[in-house]
């Protein structure tokens, strides 16, 4: 158990809809990262927050947005969903701002299926 | 553009033998490399890392080798155990401490008892 909690674990929805994925980081961790893993792809970095502020952006679509709340949990909002958005979405947390030298603690992921 | 590549989607090894998982990268600015292991229905977990100033890092049965000139790293597991069966992801960052990790597509290791 990494200590990172993601909900929901599975989500099936239709094209054009909007969903929200939630992540609670490990106790004490200030950084939250969101990654997307599509079929046969590596984990693609979407966005990072540190203590409530956006710190880095990766290949995140304009239809997607995220935020980190004062209690440090984070939500990833996906709107106008397309079939290609079907993927496993991972949240990870770390104590420090940087991901490079410190290990990230990953949640179990939220599997999104868009029909 | 996949900057970190794991060209072998899968690998099968007999229990007790050596497992060698390979990873290539294209970005010469990468200076810190990590391996993560992932079991089904779980998130990836950190396994071992290496800084670009080193060419080898060892932790028990796991050793990572880095060849900067070839932009290549490998993970050696000796001896392999059935519990090592998992998907292994290679990751890199530039610079070390950066906010983003670039991941490979993973190699599924199966250790046969």
């Amino acid at each position: 158990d990494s200590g990172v909690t993601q909900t929901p674990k599975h989500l099936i929805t239709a094209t054009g809809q909007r969903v929200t994925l939630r992540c609670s980081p490990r106790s004490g961790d200030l950084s939250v990262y969101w990654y997307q893993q599509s079929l046969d792809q590596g984990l693609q970095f979407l966005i990072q927050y540190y203590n409530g502020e956006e710190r880095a952006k990766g290949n995140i679509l304009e239809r997607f947005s995220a935020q980190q709340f004062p209690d440090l949990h984070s939500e990833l909002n996906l709107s106008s969903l397309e079939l290609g958005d079907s993927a496993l979405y991972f949240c990870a947390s770390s104590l420090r701002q940087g991901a490079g030298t410190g290990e990230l603690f990953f949640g179990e992921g939220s599997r999104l299926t868009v029909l | 553009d996949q900057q970190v590549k794991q060209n072998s989607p899968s690998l099968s090894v007999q229990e007790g033998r050596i497992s060698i998982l390979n990873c290539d990268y294209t970005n010469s600015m990468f200076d810190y490399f990590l391996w993560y292991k992932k079991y089904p229905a779980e998130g990836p977990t950190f396994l071992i890392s290496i800084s670009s100033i080193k060419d080898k890092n060892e932790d028990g049965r796991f050793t990572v080798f880095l060849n900067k000139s070839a932009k290549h790293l490998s993970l050696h597991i000796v001896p392999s155990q059935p519990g090592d069966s998992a998907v292994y992801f290679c990751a890199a960052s530039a610079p070390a401490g950066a906010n983003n990790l670039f991941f490979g597509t993973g190699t599924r290791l199966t250790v046969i008892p």
Side-chain angles (χ1 to χ4, degrees), chain A residues 33 35 37 40-45 48 55-56 88 90 97-109, chain B residues 2 32-34 36 38 41-46 49 89 93 95-106:
Chain A
Y33 308 79
Y35 282 85
Q37 185 185 18
D40 295 330
Q41 297 291 313
L43 283 76
Q44 301 292 322
F45 172 68
Q48 181 218 359
R55 276 290 183 260
L88 196 52
F90 286 105
Q97 183 172 340
T101 54
E103 57 183 279
L104 299 185
F105 296 87
F106 282 85
E108 295 178 359
Chain B
Q2 195 73 25
Y32 203 81
F33 304 89
L34 308 92
Y36 280 79
K38 184 184 180 303
E42 295 183 11
T45 56
F46 171 76
S49 63
F89 291 98
S93 73
N99 294 325
N100 183 17
L101 287 180
F102 293 86
F103 281 85
T105 52

Side-chain angles (χ1 to χ4, degrees), chain A residues 15-17 36-38 61 63-64 78-89 111-114:
Chain A
T15 54
Q17 295 298 303
Q36 178 194 53
Q37 185 185 18
S38 301
L61 299 172
R63 300 184 285 108
F64 296 0
L78 316 175
S79 62
S80 302
L81 285 169
E82 302 176 358
L83 296 177
D85 297 328
S86 295
L88 196 52
Y89 291 85
R111 182 170 295 281
L112 172 66
T113 301
V114 182

Side-chain angles (χ1 to χ4, degrees), chain B residues 25-43:
Chain B
Y25 60 96
T26 58
N27 189 340
S28 59
M29 299 301 292
F30 287 148
D31 59 1
Y32 203 81
F33 304 89
L34 308 92
W35 285 93
Y36 280 79
K37 179 169 73 172
K38 184 184 180 303
Y39 292 118
E42 295 183 11

Side-chain angles (χ1 to χ4, degrees), chain B residues 4-52:
Chain B
V4 178
K5 300 177 183 179
Q6 293 177 258
N7 293 319
S8 297
S10 63
L11 174 68
S12 292
V13 172
Q14 288 290 134
E15 180 179 2
R17 307 294 290 269
I18 183 171
S19 294
I20 300 176
L21 294 92
N22 294 304
C23 177
D24 297 296
Y25 60 96
T26 58
N27 189 340
S28 59
M29 299 301 292
F30 287 148
D31 59 1
Y32 203 81
F33 304 89
L34 308 92
W35 285 93
Y36 280 79
K37 179 169 73 172
K38 184 184 180 303
Y39 292 118
E42 295 183 11
T45 56
F46 171 76
L47 186 58
I48 192 170
S49 63
I50 187 168
S51 165
S52 60

